[in-house]
Amino acid sequence: MAAKDMGAARRTPILAAIPKMVFPFLVILPGMIAIAMHAAGTGFQLPTKGSGLDYDMVVPTMLQHYLPTGMLASG
């Protein structure tokens, strides 16, 4: 409706899709890294939930493990 021509109207969804492709990497990549580090025995331990690991806590656990207390605003 507000594009200056048809070419701009066709490019808009393509340009908008590029940042959306980054989000799966923000979810999948930290989980894969955490599972590999947990299995390798590097001192990084994921919390447990029931009889398995709590994969919902991967990013908070990695932040807590690798960032100092002042960066996390917790005391």
Side-chain angles (χ1 to χ4, degrees):
M1 293 183 158
K4 65 179 179 178
D5 58 12
M6 284 300 287
R10 289 183 181 137
R11 282 191 305 269
T12 301
I14 294 170
L15 292 174
I18 292 171
K20 284 185 170 187
M21 292 188 296
V22 174
F23 289 111
F25 293 107
L26 294 175
V27 174
I28 295 169
L29 192 61
M32 290 174 57
I33 292 170
I35 290 170
M37 290 174 57
H38 179 79
T42 60
F44 179 78
Q45 295 294 319
L46 287 172
T48 58
K49 180 191 239 181
S51 62
L53 298 174
D54 187 7
Y55 297 111
D56 295 334
M57 295 298 293
V58 167
V59 173
T61 305
M62 288 180 75
L63 289 173
Q64 182 182 14
H65 185 75
Y66 290 109
L67 293 179
T69 304
M71 294 284 290
L72 297 174
S74 61

